[in-house]
mmCIF file with all atom_site columns, all heavy atoms in Angstrom:
data_model
loop_
_atom_site.group_PDB
_atom_site.id
_atom_site.type_symbol
_atom_site.label_atom_id
_atom_site.label_alt_id
_atom_site.label_comp_id
_atom_site.label_asym_id
_atom_site.label_entity_id
_atom_site.label_seq_id
_atom_site.pdbx_PDB_ins_code
_atom_site.Cartn_x
_atom_site.Cartn_y
_atom_site.Cartn_z
_atom_site.occupancy
_atom_site.B_iso_or_equiv
_atom_site.pdbx_formal_charge
_atom_site.auth_seq_id
_atom_site.auth_comp_id
_atom_site.auth_asym_id
_atom_site.auth_atom_id
_atom_site.pdbx_PDB_model_num
ATOM 1   N N   . THR A 1 58  ? 103.863 69.093 142.704 1.00 0.00 ? 58  THR A N   1
ATOM 2   C CA  . THR A 1 58  ? 102.597 68.968 141.981 1.00 0.00 ? 58  THR A CA  1
ATOM 3   C C   . THR A 1 58  ? 101.556 68.242 142.833 1.00 0.00 ? 58  THR A C   1
ATOM 4   O O   . THR A 1 58  ? 100.395 68.177 142.448 1.00 0.00 ? 58  THR A O   1
ATOM 5   C CB  . THR A 1 58  ? 102.780 68.224 140.655 1.00 0.00 ? 58  THR A CB  1
ATOM 6   O OG1 . THR A 1 58  ? 103.372 66.952 140.912 1.00 0.00 ? 58  THR A OG1 1
ATOM 7   C CG2 . THR A 1 58  ? 103.646 69.019 139.694 1.00 0.00 ? 58  THR A CG2 1
ATOM 8   N N   . THR A 1 59  ? 101.976 67.696 143.966 1.00 0.00 ? 59  THR A N   1
ATOM 9   C CA  . THR A 1 59  ? 101.064 67.069 144.920 1.00 0.00 ? 59  THR A CA  1
ATOM 10  C C   . THR A 1 59  ? 101.369 67.628 146.296 1.00 0.00 ? 59  THR A C   1
ATOM 11  O O   . THR A 1 59  ? 102.520 67.611 146.734 1.00 0.00 ? 59  THR A O   1
ATOM 12  C CB  . THR A 1 59  ? 101.244 65.536 144.932 1.00 0.00 ? 59  THR A CB  1
ATOM 13  O OG1 . THR A 1 59  ? 101.006 65.027 143.622 1.00 0.00 ? 59  THR A OG1 1
ATOM 14  C CG2 . THR A 1 59  ? 100.270 64.892 145.898 1.00 0.00 ? 59  THR A CG2 1
ATOM 15  N N   . LEU A 1 60  ? 100.343 68.129 146.960 1.00 0.00 ? 60  LEU A N   1
ATOM 16  C CA  . LEU A 1 60  ? 100.515 68.682 148.302 1.00 0.00 ? 60  LEU A CA  1
ATOM 17  C C   . LEU A 1 60  ? 99.590  67.965 149.268 1.00 0.00 ? 60  LEU A C   1
ATOM 18  O O   . LEU A 1 60  ? 98.370  67.960 149.089 1.00 0.00 ? 60  LEU A O   1
ATOM 19  C CB  . LEU A 1 60  ? 100.211 70.183 148.321 1.00 0.00 ? 60  LEU A CB  1
ATOM 20  C CG  . LEU A 1 60  ? 100.256 70.854 149.695 1.00 0.00 ? 60  LEU A CG  1
ATOM 21  C CD1 . LEU A 1 60  ? 101.669 70.799 150.270 1.00 0.00 ? 60  LEU A CD1 1
ATOM 22  C CD2 . LEU A 1 60  ? 99.769  72.289 149.617 1.00 0.00 ? 60  LEU A CD2 1
ATOM 23  N N   . ASN A 1 61  ? 100.197 67.336 150.268 1.00 0.00 ? 61  ASN A N   1
ATOM 24  C CA  . ASN A 1 61  ? 99.443  66.734 151.360 1.00 0.00 ? 61  ASN A CA  1
ATOM 25  C C   . ASN A 1 61  ? 99.556  67.676 152.554 1.00 0.00 ? 61  ASN A C   1
ATOM 26  O O   . ASN A 1 61  ? 100.653 68.018 152.963 1.00 0.00 ? 61  ASN A O   1
ATOM 27  C CB  . ASN A 1 61  ? 100.032 65.369 151.755 1.00 0.00 ? 61  ASN A CB  1
ATOM 28  C CG  . ASN A 1 61  ? 99.953  64.382 150.622 1.00 0.00 ? 61  ASN A CG  1
ATOM 29  O OD1 . ASN A 1 61  ? 98.913  64.197 150.028 1.00 0.00 ? 61  ASN A OD1 1
ATOM 30  N ND2 . ASN A 1 61  ? 101.079 63.766 150.297 1.00 0.00 ? 61  ASN A ND2 1
ATOM 31  N N   . PHE A 1 62  ? 98.415  68.091 153.080 1.00 0.00 ? 62  PHE A N   1
ATOM 32  C CA  . PHE A 1 62  ? 98.423  68.949 154.260 1.00 0.00 ? 62  PHE A CA  1
ATOM 33  C C   . PHE A 1 62  ? 97.240  68.604 155.147 1.00 0.00 ? 62  PHE A C   1
ATOM 34  O O   . PHE A 1 62  ? 96.364  67.835 154.759 1.00 0.00 ? 62  PHE A O   1
ATOM 35  C CB  . PHE A 1 62  ? 98.395  70.435 153.862 1.00 0.00 ? 62  PHE A CB  1
ATOM 36  C CG  . PHE A 1 62  ? 97.121  70.888 153.202 1.00 0.00 ? 62  PHE A CG  1
ATOM 37  C CD1 . PHE A 1 62  ? 96.100  71.474 153.939 1.00 0.00 ? 62  PHE A CD1 1
ATOM 38  C CD2 . PHE A 1 62  ? 96.945  70.756 151.843 1.00 0.00 ? 62  PHE A CD2 1
ATOM 39  C CE1 . PHE A 1 62  ? 94.933  71.890 153.335 1.00 0.00 ? 62  PHE A CE1 1
ATOM 40  C CE2 . PHE A 1 62  ? 95.788  71.171 151.224 1.00 0.00 ? 62  PHE A CE2 1
ATOM 41  C CZ  . PHE A 1 62  ? 94.776  71.751 151.969 1.00 0.00 ? 62  PHE A CZ  1
ATOM 42  N N   . VAL A 1 77  ? 87.368  72.297 150.214 1.00 0.00 ? 77  VAL A N   1
ATOM 43  C CA  . VAL A 1 77  ? 87.601  71.392 149.087 1.00 0.00 ? 77  VAL A CA  1
ATOM 44  C C   . VAL A 1 77  ? 86.900  71.914 147.825 1.00 0.00 ? 77  VAL A C   1
ATOM 45  O O   . VAL A 1 77  ? 87.492  71.944 146.742 1.00 0.00 ? 77  VAL A O   1
ATOM 46  C CB  . VAL A 1 77  ? 87.139  69.959 149.445 1.00 0.00 ? 77  VAL A CB  1
ATOM 47  C CG1 . VAL A 1 77  ? 87.119  69.073 148.216 1.00 0.00 ? 77  VAL A CG1 1
ATOM 48  C CG2 . VAL A 1 77  ? 88.034  69.372 150.522 1.00 0.00 ? 77  VAL A CG2 1
ATOM 49  N N   . LEU A 1 80  ? 88.750  74.934 146.411 1.00 0.00 ? 80  LEU A N   1
ATOM 50  C CA  . LEU A 1 80  ? 89.993  74.549 145.747 1.00 0.00 ? 80  LEU A CA  1
ATOM 51  C C   . LEU A 1 80  ? 89.718  73.851 144.414 1.00 0.00 ? 80  LEU A C   1
ATOM 52  O O   . LEU A 1 80  ? 90.460  74.031 143.447 1.00 0.00 ? 80  LEU A O   1
ATOM 53  C CB  . LEU A 1 80  ? 90.828  73.652 146.660 1.00 0.00 ? 80  LEU A CB  1
ATOM 54  C CG  . LEU A 1 80  ? 91.400  74.318 147.914 1.00 0.00 ? 80  LEU A CG  1
ATOM 55  C CD1 . LEU A 1 80  ? 92.040  73.283 148.829 1.00 0.00 ? 80  LEU A CD1 1
ATOM 56  C CD2 . LEU A 1 80  ? 92.393  75.404 147.551 1.00 0.00 ? 80  LEU A CD2 1
ATOM 57  N N   . ARG A 1 81  ? 88.653  73.068 144.339 1.00 0.00 ? 81  ARG A N   1
ATOM 58  C CA  . ARG A 1 81  ? 88.321  72.350 143.097 1.00 0.00 ? 81  ARG A CA  1
ATOM 59  C C   . ARG A 1 81  ? 87.914  73.293 141.972 1.00 0.00 ? 81  ARG A C   1
ATOM 60  O O   . ARG A 1 81  ? 88.018  72.935 140.795 1.00 0.00 ? 81  ARG A O   1
ATOM 61  C CB  . ARG A 1 81  ? 87.177  71.363 143.350 1.00 0.00 ? 81  ARG A CB  1
ATOM 62  C CG  . ARG A 1 81  ? 87.626  70.103 144.022 1.00 0.00 ? 81  ARG A CG  1
ATOM 63  C CD  . ARG A 1 81  ? 86.509  69.104 144.155 1.00 0.00 ? 81  ARG A CD  1
ATOM 64  N NE  . ARG A 1 81  ? 86.985  67.921 144.842 1.00 0.00 ? 81  ARG A NE  1
ATOM 65  C CZ  . ARG A 1 81  ? 86.216  67.101 145.536 1.00 0.00 ? 81  ARG A CZ  1
ATOM 66  N NH1 . ARG A 1 81  ? 84.922  67.320 145.645 1.00 0.00 ? 81  ARG A NH1 1
ATOM 67  N NH2 . ARG A 1 81  ? 86.738  66.046 146.133 1.00 0.00 ? 81  ARG A NH2 1
ATOM 68  N N   . LYS A 1 82  ? 87.452  74.489 142.295 1.00 0.00 ? 82  LYS A N   1
ATOM 69  C CA  . LYS A 1 82  ? 87.016  75.448 141.278 1.00 0.00 ? 82  LYS A CA  1
ATOM 70  C C   . LYS A 1 82  ? 88.174  75.988 140.455 1.00 0.00 ? 82  LYS A C   1
ATOM 71  O O   . LYS A 1 82  ? 87.965  76.502 139.366 1.00 0.00 ? 82  LYS A O   1
ATOM 72  C CB  . LYS A 1 82  ? 86.265  76.608 141.929 1.00 0.00 ? 82  LYS A CB  1
ATOM 73  C CG  . LYS A 1 82  ? 84.909  76.220 142.459 1.00 0.00 ? 82  LYS A CG  1
ATOM 74  C CD  . LYS A 1 82  ? 84.231  77.394 143.126 1.00 0.00 ? 82  LYS A CD  1
ATOM 75  C CE  . LYS A 1 82  ? 82.909  76.967 143.745 1.00 0.00 ? 82  LYS A CE  1
ATOM 76  N NZ  . LYS A 1 82  ? 82.284  78.080 144.477 1.00 0.00 ? 82  LYS A NZ  1
ATOM 77  N N   . ASN A 1 83  ? 89.391  75.871 140.954 1.00 0.00 ? 83  ASN A N   1
ATOM 78  C CA  . ASN A 1 83  ? 90.553  76.388 140.237 1.00 0.00 ? 83  ASN A CA  1
ATOM 79  C C   . ASN A 1 83  ? 90.893  75.439 139.092 1.00 0.00 ? 83  ASN A C   1
ATOM 80  O O   . ASN A 1 83  ? 91.097  74.247 139.311 1.00 0.00 ? 83  ASN A O   1
ATOM 81  C CB  . ASN A 1 83  ? 91.740  76.532 141.184 1.00 0.00 ? 83  ASN A CB  1
ATOM 82  C CG  . ASN A 1 83  ? 92.876  77.273 140.559 1.00 0.00 ? 83  ASN A CG  1
ATOM 83  O OD1 . ASN A 1 83  ? 93.318  76.950 139.464 1.00 0.00 ? 83  ASN A OD1 1
ATOM 84  N ND2 . ASN A 1 83  ? 93.353  78.277 141.252 1.00 0.00 ? 83  ASN A ND2 1
ATOM 85  N N   . PRO A 1 84  ? 90.992  75.934 137.858 1.00 0.00 ? 84  PRO A N   1
ATOM 86  C CA  . PRO A 1 84  ? 91.259  75.056 136.711 1.00 0.00 ? 84  PRO A CA  1
ATOM 87  C C   . PRO A 1 84  ? 92.674  74.460 136.707 1.00 0.00 ? 84  PRO A C   1
ATOM 88  O O   . PRO A 1 84  ? 92.920  73.469 136.016 1.00 0.00 ? 84  PRO A O   1
ATOM 89  C CB  . PRO A 1 84  ? 91.059  75.970 135.500 1.00 0.00 ? 84  PRO A CB  1
ATOM 90  C CG  . PRO A 1 84  ? 91.199  77.352 136.032 1.00 0.00 ? 84  PRO A CG  1
ATOM 91  C CD  . PRO A 1 84  ? 90.784  77.320 137.462 1.00 0.00 ? 84  PRO A CD  1
ATOM 92  N N   . THR A 1 85  ? 93.591  75.035 137.473 1.00 0.00 ? 85  THR A N   1
ATOM 93  C CA  . THR A 1 85  ? 94.963  74.527 137.528 1.00 0.00 ? 85  THR A CA  1
ATOM 94  C C   . THR A 1 85  ? 95.077  73.306 138.436 1.00 0.00 ? 85  THR A C   1
ATOM 95  O O   . THR A 1 85  ? 96.035  72.554 138.352 1.00 0.00 ? 85  THR A O   1
ATOM 96  C CB  . THR A 1 85  ? 95.910  75.635 138.043 1.00 0.00 ? 85  THR A CB  1
ATOM 97  O OG1 . THR A 1 85  ? 95.641  76.819 137.304 1.00 0.00 ? 85  THR A OG1 1
ATOM 98  C CG2 . THR A 1 85  ? 97.354  75.272 137.866 1.00 0.00 ? 85  THR A CG2 1
ATOM 99  N N   . ILE A 1 86  ? 94.089  73.111 139.297 1.00 0.00 ? 86  ILE A N   1
ATOM 100 C CA  . ILE A 1 86  ? 94.114  71.992 140.239 1.00 0.00 ? 86  ILE A CA  1
ATOM 101 C C   . ILE A 1 86  ? 93.401  70.801 139.607 1.00 0.00 ? 86  ILE A C   1
ATOM 102 O O   . ILE A 1 86  ? 92.228  70.893 139.231 1.00 0.00 ? 86  ILE A O   1
ATOM 103 C CB  . ILE A 1 86  ? 93.465  72.383 141.589 1.00 0.00 ? 86  ILE A CB  1
ATOM 104 C CG1 . ILE A 1 86  ? 94.276  73.512 142.233 1.00 0.00 ? 86  ILE A CG1 1
ATOM 105 C CG2 . ILE A 1 86  ? 93.371  71.179 142.502 1.00 0.00 ? 86  ILE A CG2 1
ATOM 106 C CD1 . ILE A 1 86  ? 93.680  74.053 143.523 1.00 0.00 ? 86  ILE A CD1 1
ATOM 107 N N   . ALA A 1 87  ? 94.109  69.677 139.486 1.00 0.00 ? 87  ALA A N   1
ATOM 108 C CA  . ALA A 1 87  ? 93.544  68.478 138.861 1.00 0.00 ? 87  ALA A CA  1
ATOM 109 C C   . ALA A 1 87  ? 92.549  67.788 139.789 1.00 0.00 ? 87  ALA A C   1
ATOM 110 O O   . ALA A 1 87  ? 91.472  67.381 139.359 1.00 0.00 ? 87  ALA A O   1
ATOM 111 C CB  . ALA A 1 87  ? 94.658  67.512 138.476 1.00 0.00 ? 87  ALA A CB  1
ATOM 112 N N   . SER A 1 88  ? 92.907  67.642 141.084 1.00 0.00 ? 88  SER A N   1
ATOM 113 C CA  . SER A 1 88  ? 91.990  66.993 142.021 1.00 0.00 ? 88  SER A CA  1
ATOM 114 C C   . SER A 1 88  ? 92.280  67.427 143.449 1.00 0.00 ? 88  SER A C   1
ATOM 115 O O   . SER A 1 88  ? 93.402  67.821 143.782 1.00 0.00 ? 88  SER A O   1
ATOM 116 C CB  . SER A 1 88  ? 92.092  65.471 141.919 1.00 0.00 ? 88  SER A CB  1
ATOM 117 O OG  . SER A 1 88  ? 93.338  65.026 142.414 1.00 0.00 ? 88  SER A OG  1
ATOM 118 N N   . VAL A 1 89  ? 91.239  67.366 144.256 1.00 0.00 ? 89  VAL A N   1
ATOM 119 C CA  . VAL A 1 89  ? 91.341  67.643 145.691 1.00 0.00 ? 89  VAL A CA  1
ATOM 120 C C   . VAL A 1 89  ? 90.630  66.506 146.396 1.00 0.00 ? 89  VAL A C   1
ATOM 121 O O   . VAL A 1 89  ? 89.476  66.210 146.109 1.00 0.00 ? 89  VAL A O   1
ATOM 122 C CB  . VAL A 1 89  ? 90.685  68.991 146.068 1.00 0.00 ? 89  VAL A CB  1
ATOM 123 C CG1 . VAL A 1 89  ? 90.842  69.252 147.550 1.00 0.00 ? 89  VAL A CG1 1
ATOM 124 C CG2 . VAL A 1 89  ? 91.277  70.121 145.266 1.00 0.00 ? 89  VAL A CG2 1
ATOM 125 N N   . THR A 1 90  ? 91.327  65.847 147.315 1.00 0.00 ? 90  THR A N   1
ATOM 126 C CA  . THR A 1 90  ? 90.787  64.683 147.999 1.00 0.00 ? 90  THR A CA  1
ATOM 127 C C   . THR A 1 90  ? 90.844  64.890 149.499 1.00 0.00 ? 90  THR A C   1
ATOM 128 O O   . THR A 1 90  ? 91.866  65.332 150.042 1.00 0.00 ? 90  THR A O   1
ATOM 129 C CB  . THR A 1 90  ? 91.612  63.423 147.649 1.00 0.00 ? 90  THR A CB  1
ATOM 130 O OG1 . THR A 1 90  ? 91.744  63.335 146.233 1.00 0.00 ? 90  THR A OG1 1
ATOM 131 C CG2 . THR A 1 90  ? 90.966  62.176 148.191 1.00 0.00 ? 90  THR A CG2 1
ATOM 132 N N   . ILE A 1 91  ? 89.755  64.555 150.182 1.00 0.00 ? 91  ILE A N   1
ATOM 133 C CA  . ILE A 1 91  ? 89.730  64.598 151.651 1.00 0.00 ? 91  ILE A CA  1
ATOM 134 C C   . ILE A 1 91  ? 90.308  63.287 152.155 1.00 0.00 ? 91  ILE A C   1
ATOM 135 O O   . ILE A 1 91  ? 89.919  62.213 151.708 1.00 0.00 ? 91  ILE A O   1
ATOM 136 C CB  . ILE A 1 91  ? 88.302  64.793 152.179 1.00 0.00 ? 91  ILE A CB  1
ATOM 137 C CG1 . ILE A 1 91  ? 87.740  66.127 151.705 1.00 0.00 ? 91  ILE A CG1 1
ATOM 138 C CG2 . ILE A 1 91  ? 88.281  64.714 153.701 1.00 0.00 ? 91  ILE A CG2 1
ATOM 139 C CD1 . ILE A 1 91  ? 86.299  66.369 152.088 1.00 0.00 ? 91  ILE A CD1 1
ATOM 140 N N   . ILE A 1 101 ? 94.003  66.675 153.703 1.00 0.00 ? 101 ILE A N   1
ATOM 141 C CA  . ILE A 1 101 ? 93.556  66.997 152.348 1.00 0.00 ? 101 ILE A CA  1
ATOM 142 C C   . ILE A 1 101 ? 94.755  66.841 151.413 1.00 0.00 ? 101 ILE A C   1
ATOM 143 O O   . ILE A 1 101 ? 95.878  67.190 151.773 1.00 0.00 ? 101 ILE A O   1
ATOM 144 C CB  . ILE A 1 101 ? 93.001  68.435 152.252 1.00 0.00 ? 101 ILE A CB  1
ATOM 145 C CG1 . ILE A 1 101 ? 91.743  68.569 153.106 1.00 0.00 ? 101 ILE A CG1 1
ATOM 146 C CG2 . ILE A 1 101 ? 92.715  68.823 150.808 1.00 0.00 ? 101 ILE A CG2 1
ATOM 147 C CD1 . ILE A 1 101 ? 91.144  69.954 153.122 1.00 0.00 ? 101 ILE A CD1 1
ATOM 148 N N   . THR A 1 102 ? 94.513  66.324 150.219 1.00 0.00 ? 102 THR A N   1
ATOM 149 C CA  . THR A 1 102 ? 95.557  66.182 149.206 1.00 0.00 ? 102 THR A CA  1
ATOM 150 C C   . THR A 1 102 ? 95.139  66.946 147.960 1.00 0.00 ? 102 THR A C   1
ATOM 151 O O   . THR A 1 102 ? 94.029  66.778 147.461 1.00 0.00 ? 102 THR A O   1
ATOM 152 C CB  . THR A 1 102 ? 95.781  64.700 148.852 1.00 0.00 ? 102 THR A CB  1
ATOM 153 O OG1 . THR A 1 102 ? 96.139  63.994 150.037 1.00 0.00 ? 102 THR A OG1 1
ATOM 154 C CG2 . THR A 1 102 ? 96.880  64.543 147.821 1.00 0.00 ? 102 THR A CG2 1
ATOM 155 N N   . ILE A 1 103 ? 96.047  67.783 147.483 1.00 0.00 ? 103 ILE A N   1
ATOM 156 C CA  . ILE A 1 103 ? 95.820  68.547 146.255 1.00 0.00 ? 103 ILE A CA  1
ATOM 157 C C   . ILE A 1 103 ? 96.792  68.028 145.196 1.00 0.00 ? 103 ILE A C   1
ATOM 158 O O   . ILE A 1 103 ? 97.981  67.903 145.459 1.00 0.00 ? 103 ILE A O   1
ATOM 159 C CB  . ILE A 1 103 ? 96.100  70.052 146.464 1.00 0.00 ? 103 ILE A CB  1
ATOM 160 C CG1 . ILE A 1 103 ? 95.156  70.643 147.500 1.00 0.00 ? 103 ILE A CG1 1
ATOM 161 C CG2 . ILE A 1 103 ? 95.977  70.806 145.150 1.00 0.00 ? 103 ILE A CG2 1
ATOM 162 C CD1 . ILE A 1 103 ? 95.479  72.085 147.848 1.00 0.00 ? 103 ILE A CD1 1
ATOM 163 N N   . VAL A 1 104 ? 96.274  67.738 144.006 1.00 0.00 ? 104 VAL A N   1
ATOM 164 C CA  . VAL A 1 104 ? 97.117  67.350 142.873 1.00 0.00 ? 104 VAL A CA  1
ATOM 165 C C   . VAL A 1 104 ? 96.961  68.436 141.814 1.00 0.00 ? 104 VAL A C   1
ATOM 166 O O   . VAL A 1 104 ? 95.849  68.766 141.400 1.00 0.00 ? 104 VAL A O   1
ATOM 167 C CB  . VAL A 1 104 ? 96.702  65.977 142.301 1.00 0.00 ? 104 VAL A CB  1
ATOM 168 C CG1 . VAL A 1 104 ? 97.550  65.618 141.098 1.00 0.00 ? 104 VAL A CG1 1
ATOM 169 C CG2 . VAL A 1 104 ? 96.796  64.901 143.368 1.00 0.00 ? 104 VAL A CG2 1
ATOM 170 N N   . LEU A 1 105 ? 98.093  69.005 141.397 1.00 0.00 ? 105 LEU A N   1
ATOM 171 C CA  . LEU A 1 105 ? 98.102  70.077 140.401 1.00 0.00 ? 105 LEU A CA  1
ATOM 172 C C   . LEU A 1 105 ? 98.377  69.517 139.010 1.00 0.00 ? 105 LEU A C   1
ATOM 173 O O   . LEU A 1 105 ? 99.024  68.477 138.863 1.00 0.00 ? 105 LEU A O   1
ATOM 174 C CB  . LEU A 1 105 ? 99.192  71.101 140.739 1.00 0.00 ? 105 LEU A CB  1
ATOM 175 C CG  . LEU A 1 105 ? 99.118  71.769 142.101 1.00 0.00 ? 105 LEU A CG  1
ATOM 176 C CD1 . LEU A 1 105 ? 100.341 72.634 142.317 1.00 0.00 ? 105 LEU A CD1 1
ATOM 177 C CD2 . LEU A 1 105 ? 97.868  72.596 142.212 1.00 0.00 ? 105 LEU A CD2 1
ATOM 178 N N   . LYS A 1 106 ? 97.948  70.230 137.988 1.00 0.00 ? 106 LYS A N   1
ATOM 179 C CA  . LYS A 1 106 ? 98.252  69.856 136.615 1.00 0.00 ? 106 LYS A CA  1
ATOM 180 C C   . LYS A 1 106 ? 99.702  70.183 136.275 1.00 0.00 ? 106 LYS A C   1
ATOM 181 O O   . LYS A 1 106 ? 100.330 69.487 135.490 1.00 0.00 ? 106 LYS A O   1
ATOM 182 C CB  . LYS A 1 106 ? 97.309  70.565 135.656 1.00 0.00 ? 106 LYS A CB  1
ATOM 183 C CG  . LYS A 1 106 ? 95.874  70.090 135.799 1.00 0.00 ? 106 LYS A CG  1
ATOM 184 C CD  . LYS A 1 106 ? 94.937  70.840 134.882 1.00 0.00 ? 106 LYS A CD  1
ATOM 185 C CE  . LYS A 1 106 ? 93.506  70.357 135.099 1.00 0.00 ? 106 LYS A CE  1
ATOM 186 N NZ  . LYS A 1 106 ? 92.549  71.136 134.321 1.00 0.00 ? 106 LYS A NZ  1
ATOM 187 N N   . SER A 1 107 ? 100.225 71.250 136.884 1.00 0.00 ? 107 SER A N   1
ATOM 188 C CA  . SER A 1 107 ? 101.633 71.621 136.722 1.00 0.00 ? 107 SER A CA  1
ATOM 189 C C   . SER A 1 107 ? 102.057 72.397 137.963 1.00 0.00 ? 107 SER A C   1
ATOM 190 O O   . SER A 1 107 ? 101.229 72.897 138.715 1.00 0.00 ? 107 SER A O   1
ATOM 191 C CB  . SER A 1 107 ? 101.832 72.474 135.466 1.00 0.00 ? 107 SER A CB  1
ATOM 192 O OG  . SER A 1 107 ? 101.113 73.686 135.598 1.00 0.00 ? 107 SER A OG  1
ATOM 193 N N   . PHE A 1 114 ? 99.456  79.136 145.810 1.00 0.00 ? 114 PHE A N   1
ATOM 194 C CA  . PHE A 1 114 ? 98.923  78.413 146.966 1.00 0.00 ? 114 PHE A CA  1
ATOM 195 C C   . PHE A 1 114 ? 98.343  79.381 147.992 1.00 0.00 ? 114 PHE A C   1
ATOM 196 O O   . PHE A 1 114 ? 97.255  79.147 148.524 1.00 0.00 ? 114 PHE A O   1
ATOM 197 C CB  . PHE A 1 114 ? 99.999  77.542 147.609 1.00 0.00 ? 114 PHE A CB  1
ATOM 198 C CG  . PHE A 1 114 ? 100.345 76.332 146.801 1.00 0.00 ? 114 PHE A CG  1
ATOM 199 C CD1 . PHE A 1 114 ? 101.450 76.329 145.963 1.00 0.00 ? 114 PHE A CD1 1
ATOM 200 C CD2 . PHE A 1 114 ? 99.566  75.195 146.854 1.00 0.00 ? 114 PHE A CD2 1
ATOM 201 C CE1 . PHE A 1 114 ? 101.768 75.215 145.213 1.00 0.00 ? 114 PHE A CE1 1
ATOM 202 C CE2 . PHE A 1 114 ? 99.876  74.067 146.109 1.00 0.00 ? 114 PHE A CE2 1
ATOM 203 C CZ  . PHE A 1 114 ? 100.981 74.079 145.279 1.00 0.00 ? 114 PHE A CZ  1
#
Side-chain angles (χ1 to χ4, degrees):
T58 56
T59 301
L60 176 64
N61 297 310
F62 67 95
V77 169
L80 292 172
R81 281 185 182 154
K82 289 178 184 176
N83 190 309
T85 311
I86 297 176
S88 69
V89 181
T90 310
I91 298 176
I101 295 178
T102 302
I103 298 174
V104 178
L105 302 174
K106 293 178 182 175
S107 63
F114 287 98

